[in-house]
Amino acid sequence: MDAELTALAEAHGVATWYEDWHRERRDVATESVIGVLGLLGVDATTPESIARELAAVRAAREQQRLPGTVVVKQGEARPLPGVGTVVLEDGTSREVTGLPDDLPLGWHRLRTGGQDVTLVVVPPRLPEPPETWGWMVQLYSLHSDASWGMGDLGDLRTFVEGSHGAGLVLLNPLHAITPTEPVPSSPYSPSSRRFSNPLYLRVADTDAYRRADPTLRERVDALKPEPTPDGLIDYSAVWRAKRAALELLWPLAGEVDLDADPGLTDFAVFCTLAEEHGANWQEWPEQFRRPDTAEVRAARKGDRVAFHVWLQQLLNEQLDAANDAARAQGMPVGVVHDLAVGIDPSGADGWLLQDVLAAGVHAGAPPDAFNQLGQDWGLAAWRPDQLIETGYAAYRDMLRRIFRHAGGLRVDHVAGLWRLWWVPPGMGPDEGTYVHYDPDAMLGILALEAHRAGAVVIGEDLGTVLPVMTKTLEEMNMLGSAVLWFTRDYKNDPDEGYLPAARYPRNALASISTHDLPTAAGFLAGEQVRVRAELGQLVGPVEDERAYAEKDRGKLLARLTEEGLITASSTPEEIVVAMHEFLARTPCRFVTAALYDVLGELDQPNLPGTTDEYPNWRMPLRTSLEQIVADPRVARVADVLSARKGGAR
């Protein structure tokens, strides 16, 4: 690649090469680099434009101008190009010749050399997480006599109250949908990560329902959807029913203050416009495609806007009730939310935050052993330069809103806080490149908001993750992830056998599987081979895949046997319990059990690489919530995990 283009790309954090999953250098095509630079507003289409853009970079460096946001760790001093004034978030100010090492944590302003920039003082690390255990729950998969077609926040509260002394409950993302039909199934392609999904509301747990007269309650109750013929979750049917019920109760809601939370009102405006003009704001009439037009401002006072604000207020109340239940149970962590990698670019955050997102980009992943053509997740990505210039305001707002109702946060694809694979418009997923973010800022702000909320942070650091990422998580007391299926002896065992329990990392959340991988029972039965073969997903012959799965199962059974946890006569159910006993022996700070594994479910919640071929995210558990809280299998695994040091019971 041309040296000038390489220099320009490096100046803007765009990778011109990367290490692939074989740890081998892979050069990025010139066209991809030019395309990604264009998404950052940098013209690299001609030698003249490259020279002009490079000259601008060098001029900025010579002027010694500060970036729009300066992030420092508490206790760290830093020189400044001249004298300045620090205005602390409490309104007081200090004259400084450099940034002193005694600045308090928080969001401040720095004025120096004619600039006024955001100054963020972040903690160098979080407090050590407690040692505890908990449950992994796909909330939608729960079902009870009181829930309507899918698990809801009332079910969450009930599960927390009967959680057998667990220290945490880790959920799937509860991010907001666009309130139109069809309602998408995946919780990882949300409309907004700053607000919550109204499908999780328990209608009967609202004040309006409690105040309703018997006749109105009967009308509301009659809207409860019938079970679907195929037994799968129909999100659109659930939304239709709950929306109709909540509209009946809306006259009892009382006054809604649209000025109390302008960001929430903005989101409600989007929901209202989407109901009128369709789910994709990019196809709306021109005057509505930006949130700051006169026509959009005129829509802010409507009754329907107030309705959508009310829905989010109800969600906040029910999330708080679940957190109150966790505290009442003595959970040291409580309810842990899951943060999706990104958002649907056609949704609410794509509209509201379009100035800090890269228009047209799709976040994804480069080719690897499991996805040899790369992955295009179809998700929008932050523009790192715009985050810096806007003081990371949108990122901060997202984290603050989530932490208000969370004892912890799992960050999906935590490597995205360092770098994210961008696929330019019109290119395939293998034609993208990495765009780098400022990890000191992304992780520091995450730590600051978690610290202020008293919450823990868990990073999903599976797959191709640079060593510095795992090391930094550990230094900051943020946990990584240790999944049984992946925790192997890659260094010393040419057969890549399963790592002994004693050699697991301390700084991790341990689990048997994840939502994208086989369940415990499915792994033992080879279900992942059968399903993928049936759907034509296998690259090689079925016999080879089956032989590999049987060999891998043998490796796991050998490890469990060596640990003294099973014998040749152990039943599949006993082996599943032994897997949990194995995890309980690890030094990992958090050990979790998934209901899918404990209850012997064969079907994994999501099968990557499929859309309609497999019922991703739509399969309820076969066991009802009423049965789960009394199930001896659940109690037995709880006894196993709570017996480890630091158990919450």
Side-chain angles (χ1 to χ4, degrees), residues 101-122:
D101 60 7
D102 61 347
L103 289 174
L105 294 174
W107 296 83
H108 316 302
R109 302 296 303 178
L110 171 61
R111 296 167 182 162
T112 182
Q115 290 184 264
D116 185 346
V117 303
T118 302
L119 171 63
V120 195
V121 181
V122 302

Side-chain angles (χ1 to χ4, degrees), residues 363-386:
D368 59 28
F370 296 99
N371 299 277
Q372 296 182 14
L373 297 178
Q375 298 178 68
D376 180 346
W377 300 328
L379 301 175
W382 299 118
R383 272 186 60 163
D385 57 331
Q386 291 302 105

Side-chain angles (χ1 to χ4, degrees), residues 45-207:
T45 54
T46 66
E48 293 76 18
S49 63
I50 292 172
R52 186 170 59 251
E53 296 282 7
L54 267 179
V57 169
R58 292 171 183 138
R61 288 173 179 167
E62 290 169 0
Q63 293 171 7
Q64 293 185 308
R65 291 184 62 79
L66 294 175
T69 306
V70 174
V71 178
V72 295
K73 293 179 180 177
Q74 189 175 38
E76 174 186 289
R78 184 177 297 183
L80 291 174
V83 295
T85 302
V86 173
V87 181
L88 301 176
E89 63 181 2
D90 65 3
T92 60
S93 61
R94 293 175 59 178
E95 301 301 315
V96 297
T97 55
L99 293 178
D101 60 7
D102 61 347
L103 289 174
L105 294 174
W107 296 83
H108 316 302
R109 302 296 303 178
L110 171 61
R111 296 167 182 162
T112 182
Q115 290 184 264
D116 185 346
V117 303
T118 302
L119 171 63
V120 195
V121 181
V122 302
R125 65 190 59 82
L126 293 174
E128 280 192 358
E131 183 167 330
T132 190
W133 70 277
W135 300 104
M136 296 169 64
V137 178
Q138 299 288 317
L139 183 54
Y140 61 83
S141 71
L142 295 181
H143 54 96
S144 66
D145 291 340
S147 53
W148 287 23
M150 61 178 282
D152 60 27
L153 292 171
D155 288 331
L156 173 60
R157 190 184 66 253
T158 299
F159 181 77
V160 166
E161 292 169 345
S163 57
H164 297 273
L168 64 94
V169 176
L170 170 59
L171 304 174
N172 58 282
L174 305 185
H175 302 317
I177 59 165
T178 296
T180 56
E181 296 180 43
V183 177
S185 303
S186 174
Y188 287 95
S189 299
S191 180
S192 173
R193 295 184 292 179
R194 298 179 298 140
F195 301 98
S196 302
N197 187 342
L199 272 72
Y200 287 108
L201 279 172
R202 171 72 62 86
V203 174
D205 284 354
T206 63
D207 284 340

